[in-house]
Every structure is written in C-alpha cells, then in structure tokens.
Amino acid sequence: MTTPKEHHPGLVVQNLPANLKLSNFKLIAFDMDSTLINIECVDEIADAVGRKAEVAAITEAAMRGEITDYKESLRQRVALLKGVTLADLEQIYQERLQLNPGAAELVATCKQAGLKVLLVSGGFTHFTNRIRDRLGIDYTRANVLEVADGALTGGMVDQPWGDICDGAEKRTMLLETCAKLGIDPSQAIAMGDGANDLPMMGVAGLSVAYHAKPAVRVQAQVAINAGGLDRLLEILA
C-alpha cells in the first residue's frame, strides 16, 4: 500500500495506477450537494422555515458517517421542511445555489473525452434536474419532494426504483449505468464528499473525494482538499 502523497498542494493521491488517463474511463459519477454545487440544498430549504441549524446538524452527522440510517435521517429532515413553498425553492436555486469551482470545466472535458456523466444525489430532483440541463448530464437519480398546493408536505414520493436515494442506491445506480453502457465499473470515476458516497466510490475504478469529510478522504484514491473539481485533470492526462 503506497503512502498517500501530496501530488500538488491540496491534492492527495494514494494507490493510484501509473499513467492513468481520462481516456481509460467511460463514465464519471458525481454527488451533487457540496460536490458539484456549493450548498446542501436540504439545509437551505430548511432556512426558509427557520430550521436550518436543526437540519444542518443532522446533515453534518449523516455526511460524517455518524448516522448509520441515512434514509431515516433524510425523512427526519424532510419532515421539517413542511410548508416551504415552490417559490422558496426557486429563490434558493436563483440566489444561493452555485456550481462549485471547476465543475462546468470538468464535466465539459469529460464529455469531450467521450465519457457519459451521471449525477446521483441524496438531494432532490427540483435541483438535480436543473443541474442536469445546465451541464448536459446524461443520467440522474435523486429524491422527489412531495408537493401539495404549491408547498412541501414534509414527505417524499416513492419512485419506480425505490423510496430514497441513499448510499446503497447510489452504488446500484452506478452499477446499473455501467451495465447499460456495456462497461466495467473499473471504467467509472466516482466523486463525492460524504459517507453516503462511499458505496459508489468503492465500486468505481477511480474514487475521488472533493473537500470531503475525513472518513471519505482517507478511503478515496484522490482527495482534492484545495481548489476546484477540475483539479482531477492534473492527475488524468
């Protein structure tokens, strides 16, 4: 086992094959909240009903891996969002949500190199669909917030594949997408920041932690601890 080394300042690499190229890969999978974008959407939605601190504390514990039942933690948080309006969600998208540095550049470079792009999120389709359209992402999986009379009910809507996109579902979606593309999971890159990203990072050929929680950094082959998402390209020629 190689000792982790700083490839460049703020870029830690461990157990990486030599001469790795972007062209070795056919799929890149991203987490959304705090990876592709700058916010945790659930925390910002909670702010609209004055519950940000309460919800953010649960999110932080879940991302650090201190809460083992991610689905239950998400149900708890979503229940606290009851009454948030669709207008509030739109305001969050317009005023608070930004792509993280290097996100658009990395996605564009991957697409130019022939990779398909997957967005798998424990967050919500209200935001993932917009990011999908903005960046030209090929596949997405995320949770659907239940809405009645223009406001959130505090519940989520079951989907054909299941109820909640947790870590296990992220892994399943990555493997299903590889199968659909006729590629091996070793030809996939997975990028995330929280404990619920570890299952998909564990089956991908290259695992990348972006400004991640400690438990995620130590398990990833590449940890980007400073700078933008496109720093991955410093390693992949």
Side-chain angles (χ1 to χ4, degrees):
M1 198 166 167
T2 57
T3 308
K5 65 177 187 291
E6 290 244 345
H7 202 76
H8 300 276
L11 201 59
V12 180
V13 177
Q14 58 183 343
N15 304 325
L16 212 56
N19 305 316
L20 213 52
K21 295 181 173 64
L22 193 57
S23 57
N24 296 146
F25 299 97
K26 301 295 181 192
L27 175 71
I28 185 164
F30 292 97
D31 166 54
M32 183 175 70
D33 296 72
S34 298
T35 301
L36 212 50
I37 65 172
N38 63 322
I39 58 172
E40 290 286 338
C41 290
V42 68
D43 298 354
E44 299 306 318
I45 298 168
D47 198 27
V49 281
R51 290 176 163 155
K52 183 173 181 177
E54 190 178 349
V55 168
I58 303 172
T59 301
E60 176 69 12
M63 292 303 103
R64 293 177 73 90
E66 292 159 6
I67 292 176
T68 49
D69 190 342
Y70 178 85
K71 288 189 179 187
E72 186 51 39
S73 85
L74 188 62
R75 285 192 193 98
Q76 284 175 10
R77 285 175 284 165
V78 170
L80 295 169
L81 307 180
K82 185 177 180 180
V84 174
T85 66
L86 292 177
D88 291 328
L89 294 185
E90 182 62 25
Q91 192 172 6
I92 290 162
Y93 179 78
Q94 297 294 346
E95 296 179 8
R96 301 192 187 189
L97 187 153
Q98 295 173 4
L99 294 175
N100 268 330
E105 292 81 358
L106 178 58
V107 170
T109 302
C110 287
K111 286 166 69 74
Q112 284 163 9
L115 281 76
K116 294 293 185 182
V117 184
L118 168 64
L119 176 57
V120 273
S121 176
F124 311 112
T125 53
H126 185 87
F127 300 103
T128 56
N129 290 350
R130 310 286 269 291
I131 298 301
R132 174 197 66 202
D133 296 346
R134 193 160 154 186
L135 294 177
I137 288 169
D138 300 289
Y139 310 103
T140 62
R141 180 150 292 179
N143 302 303
V144 179
L145 291 166
E146 188 178 55
V147 178
D149 301 321
L152 303 185
T153 66
M156 286 174 281
V157 181
D158 287 357
Q159 297 178 77
W161 48 262
D163 56 352
I164 288 175
C165 186
D166 61 354
E169 186 57 39
K170 288 187 178 199
R171 177 181 182 275
T172 296
M173 183 58 178
L174 184 138
L175 294 174
E176 283 179 3
T177 306
C178 288
K180 185 184 292 185
L181 295 171
I183 64 170
D184 192 85
S186 64
Q187 295 172 283
I189 302 167
M191 294 189 77
D193 74 299
N196 62 327
D197 297 315
L198 287 171
M200 73 167 178
M201 290 168 70
V203 294
L206 179 61
S207 57
V208 185
Y210 180 71
H211 293 249
K213 304 304 180 193
V216 182
R217 286 202 303 266
V218 297
Q219 293 188 51
Q221 291 163 284
V222 178
I224 301 170
N225 300 325
L229 286 151
D230 55 343
R231 293 205 65 193
L232 178 61
L233 301 172
E234 295 175 27
I235 293 161
L236 299 175

